[in-house]
Amino acid sequence: MSAFPRALRRLSLVLPLLLLPAVLPAQDVYTLPPGNTPTLPAPTALQTGDETPWIYRGSDVPRDKEWQFGEMDNGLRYAVRRNGVPPGQVSIRIRIDAGSLHERDHERGFAHLLEHMVFRESKYLGPGEAIPRWQRLGATFGSDTNATTTPTQTVYQLDLPNASAEKVAESFKLLSGMMRDPVINATNLAADLPIVFAEKRERGGAQGRVGDVTRETLYAGQRLAVRKPIGTDETLNGATAASVAEFHRRWYRPENTVIVVAGDGDPRDFAALVEQWFGDWKGKGEGVEAPNFGDPVAPAGVDPDYPLGEVAVTVEPDLPRNLTYAVLRPWRPVEDTIVYNEGLMLDALSQAIINRRLEARARSGGSFLYAQVQQDDVSRSTDATFVTMAPLSGDWQSALTEVRGVIADALAEAPTQEEIDREAAEFDIALANSLEQASLQAGSTLADNIVMAVDIRETVAAPDTILNVFRGMREKMTPENILKHTRKLFEGDVIRGVYVTPTIGEADKAALRTAMAAPVAADATSRLAAQSISFDDLPAIGQPGRIVSQNPIGLLDIEQLEFDNGVKAILWSNTAEPGRVSVKVRFGSGQRAFEPDEGPYILLGEMALVGSGLGELGQEELDRISTGRKMGFDFEIEEGVFTFTAQTRSDDVADQLYLFAAKLGMPRWDPNPVERAKAAARLTYESFSASPGGVLNRDLDFLIRDRDPRFAMPDPATIADASPEEFRKVWEPLLKQGPVEVLVFGEFDRDATIAALSETFGALRPRDPIPQDVAARVPTFSESSADTQVLFHRGDPDQAAAVVAWPSGGGVTNLRESRQLEILTQLFSNRLLEAMRERSGASYAPQVISNWPVDVDTGGTILALAQIRPEDVPAFFEEADAIARDLAANPPSEDELNRVTEPLRQLIERALSSQQFWLYNLEGASSDPRRVDLMRGLVTDYSQTTPGIMQALAQRYLVSHPGLKVAVIPEGQELAVRDTEAGESLGG
């Protein structure tokens, strides 16, 4: 029942923005109209009546009746269902049961290479036609159309928007040609190999090396240790069209294929299309059995009571310390029964209790920044329990001892019933919320769940089944049972470990083995007290406020309120998204609020402001008071405003509003979260130098913003000088400044929420005004210069990155133009992808991005960027410049424009079905009603334009300014760029 353990591991995940249900009138569900498409015969392979669907064989898990399953004579299996989230979309997944573990020694990387070649050319698609064809159908390449290769599978993904019967039929035709008859020849191989090598290069560096060492050590003796999907230089260079075709012949067969379709249509039509295009598929020659992936086996002579096996220590000067050890057991297929899933639930509770204790230890001043225990089934190769920690200093032995001590206590003594009940309440609310929001599950997510279940050889279950199983086993959630499952999690055939350190000589294999094998005393000091906290016991924020105005905004049923203290609120109570409420609070002046020397407190505020507490609640109390509740507390610093956001539900809206208002009205200033944030910032800083992308993350904003110190990443010395006392001095006045706007969108009791707003935000003291000089602190773009700013990284010598940045704009006045600018940047991005990836293979994923801040009147940018080889940096600059000049000199063709505007139109129309999208676009409307008017033209602005408008925008934004050029190359190398001079290395 694959959905359940993953539900427990992903309690905090929020559904992607575009995968939410309709709040506008939904499109009609399409049917296959006679005359426009061939009449489909009735499907014959559907498993109906008393027949057990293929995915439920051997299981007593109740069937999810929304799905229909079929199994054809050629062995291909499929699953289909109707789903209208988002309206009009059909999601198709084709899973091939072959990944890197299925490769022979000389084929390493072939599964992934073949994935690329499948998109290159096939029976119904000529060379390079796949991307433009999908774009013409409205699908965005990379998000709506993609593929993934893992050690155990290759999955092709299509999310087709506005999926008419004709589009769906055409998509099945194209996909069938891709799977059954890709064109594998020397020409296509030569075109795709450079792209694969570019992807391999971008995945390398320090993180890649650590990943290699970790994989080779933890899975020693198994295929997983030496077969990563990207392959090796030797095997990829040795690939021929014949050898890749042989891999395709062995594994791309109907009996190895599962097709999943979930979307806005008749599932019987989906089944009929699967059977039409794949029913006559026959494998060539005899099929082969999957190889044995191997079991984790301890080296000879290891103590069976503590089977400590292989360990490794790797030095990476630019990465923070990290220590991982794993208790490994053989993976075996399971009978996916109710009893089996109850065991998984008890395992999950056991891990949650340990992880809460480890977090408490870290918060209270432990020698590690974080630590976590997690059981996982890895690539059908091992059932493992992983323990991961980040030591704060070179005294990694103390961190390991502390973590092992907390675990030893969990193994020695049962938890209290109160601890169990606390974690069970967290799981219950998450599962209940999933059931409430079952109608909101996107078809793409549901399709992915089937693929995941097939990969791990388990079933799927409906949300009500999962919740019922969980609630039905409450009597099994006893201290004795949790202790039993905790002990099983730490029993295994072999224990292996890897330590990553930035310092040579800090550790070696012998020291790591000694520390891992040393006796450890159980540490019960992190067991948590079970004191309950109630919102009813918390102090009032102030006298309830009085509403002074209340009016509709003129869109849908959205209304605006204003309280006598100046706080404004925008409310939209609707039932389109059951069980979901989005809350956002906007206040203050954002990035502009800080003085030039206060930069470190911007970073620390993002990390520690919420954790510093409010009123009588510190971080531990905040966790406890929200137990069994659907609440959140995200904080973000934007260009012109600070924001709190949360996803909650109707029952918890009032208390969510209290938490947000109390942070403004009675903040707390606990020092520990600040000290922990300082430690995290120090540990992270050096890792920026490990790769070109890291250096850009560290320095690009600083360079673009004309070296404004507020945008500089604080170095360790600067962080060390920061203090909790100064943190409070900076942030306390900012929480009191500027207007407050509260947005509440979703399924909630309108009258009760207005009352709660009156008692929370309406009860705040009047706000201090934003100082006049703050409002004028808008970001400025770097002075024009023909020179390329050259930065240096300490990663691999074949890695580099290049960026060209142009200033654009900001604010509401020209917001419609910013939407047209998005069309231009998509045109630019398509051309850059064609030039740098498809033609030259120089970069795996070059892109062009437009950023237009709305709360300030300037500061927008257009960025063209790519990760490339150092020698390709000049070519990137030349290509980006040539594309910009051509866009300004020559209007694009209608076809090129349509390939951009149609996917954008589909993207926006899908987004309009999300209340959160409406919230995002209407925030700030209480003080600037133009944002309401601008919503009315949203689809048109993003999808209707002319070649002449694109040319004019290119002239205005791409050639009127030379653009700021930034290159990141390896230390010790020089960059030969004509007519430029190297700049300094910032922090490198």
Side-chain angles (χ1 to χ4, degrees), residues 262-276:
D264 209 346
D266 187 339
R268 292 181 63 84
D269 289 340
F270 299 152
L273 285 167
V274 173
E275 295 182 12
Q276 176 186 3

Side-chain angles (χ1 to χ4, degrees), residues 18-31:
L18 300 183
L19 305 183
L20 299 173
V23 293
L24 294 178
Q27 302 174 22
D28 292 336
V29 175
Y30 81 85
T31 57

